[in-house]
Every structure is written in structure tokens, then in C-alpha cells.
Amino acid sequence: MTSVLRSSEIHPRLTGTALEELLHPERLLWTPTQLAGLTRTVTLELGARISEFLHFDADQRWWARLALTEGIELWVLTWLPGQGTKPHDHGGAAGSFTVLRGELSEEYRYPGGPIRQRTHVTGDGIGFGAGRAHQVTGAGTEAAASIHAYSPPLVPTREYASLADVPAEIPPLPGILR
């Protein structure tokens, strides 16, 4: 039995780093725990390197894809105080984020559950399953940055008017296997 090595796309500023070893291109589906471990490790081991190319824009949040394999996508996002997302889910993908710098406020909801609020500071991370919807906002007085991972990759998100509008069950988008 031969294994097929799957190719990876890595941000040009991160080629030749430990990131290539962390991506496990043979892994086609990552668990929330594995995703949280990845974003935490990338933050700790590559945070200084990633911080060199962060960009902050007063008009809109900034982001850059750090890596893409058949099983995962990895991003860095920046947030000025008050910048945030609309309420959204991840279309059936599991996810994770770890705060690289600053502070983020998150309101989140699991289908059928209450809306909850949590603050994440530098070094904090969380992994979550496919059924979670949330809204993330830059908090505090300083600019923030965070590392995000999703599996399976390239799954479109669904936006909601508010977290109260999240259905009792978040169905996967067409073409997404669970």
C-alpha cells in the first residue's frame, strides 16, 4: 500500500519554517482539538515571524491565508478595537482560533443553546465543532491579531442577522460531507 503525499500551499513568508511540518498534508479531516493545537503551536512558534507582516486597516479587517491543504486552511486576521464579524457559522467545518496579540470579544451560540459571551486575550485559544455560530470583535484599546484554522477547508460561511437567528440545527452546506 502506498500513501499519496498531498500538496500544501504555504504563505511565501512562511516557507522553510516549521509550518510545513505542522500541516500534516495526509490528514484530510481535523478535529477541533487538533485545530486548537495547530493554532496554538503556530502562534507560539511562528508568531514573531507572522507579526512582521501584519497589516491594520481602519476601514476593514485584514486577513491573509497562511496555508492550505486538502484537509485544512490556516489564516491570520487583524482587528482594530471595534472591528468585527457579523454573526456566522462555518458551514459545517470545525474551527479554531488563538489570539496572537491583543484582545477579542466573542459572542457564540450552539444550536438551540443560549447566547454566551467570552473574552480571549493573547495566548488564549479555542477549538469548536461544526455546529457553533459566533461573532468576533476586536476588544480593548490595542490592535489584535489571531490565527484561525478550519477543516474541511474552503467551506463558505453563513451569516445571520443576529445569533438569535441561528437555527436549532446547522446543516452542512451542499457538497460538504460529515
Side-chain angles (χ1 to χ4, degrees):
M1 180 182 213
T2 60
S3 67
V4 176
L5 183 62
R6 302 197 189 309
S7 64
S8 302
E9 245 182 67
I10 296 181
H11 191 284
R13 292 190 174 184
L14 297 176
T15 55
T17 66
L19 183 57
E20 295 176 29
E21 296 174 20
L22 297 171
L23 292 177
H24 300 283
E26 74 285 351
R27 186 180 294 159
L28 297 182
L29 196 60
W30 293 58
T31 66
T33 301
Q34 291 167 329
L35 293 168
L38 176 66
T39 59
R40 188 176 312 107
T41 301
V42 168
T43 298
L44 289 172
E45 294 184 12
L46 298 171
R49 184 101 174 241
I50 293 167
S51 291
E52 293 173 3
F53 62 89
L54 294 178
H55 176 75
F56 296 91
D57 186 324
D59 294 326
Q60 66 179 12
R61 291 180 306 113
W62 175 88
W63 55 88
R65 185 165 52 206
L66 301 176
L68 175 66
T69 71
E70 288 186 43
I72 190 169
E73 61 182 309
L74 185 68
W75 294 84
V76 60
L77 286 75
T78 64
W79 317 75
L80 291 175
Q83 287 181 330
T85 66
K86 293 181 179 181
H88 65 281
D89 66 39
H90 292 277
S96 172
F97 68 88
T98 298
V99 180
L100 175 62
R101 65 181 264 194
E103 185 177 325
L104 297 176
S105 175
E106 180 191 28
E107 286 188 282
Y108 63 96
R109 182 177 187 205
Y110 288 94
I115 297 171
R116 300 180 188 267
Q117 197 277 334
R118 183 172 180 180
T119 299
H120 305 273
V121 297
T122 302
D124 285 352
I126 186 169
F128 51 88
R132 191 171 196 263
H134 66 175
Q135 179 174 11
V136 181
T137 305
T141 59
E142 303 294 321
S146 50
I147 306 295
H148 297 247
Y150 307 99
S151 182
L154 306 175
V155 177
T157 63
R158 278 181 289 244
E159 290 185 352
Y160 301 97
S162 77
L163 287 173
D165 295 326
V166 174
E169 182 177 333
I170 297 176
L173 290 169
I176 301 301
L177 303 175
R178 283 198 183 179

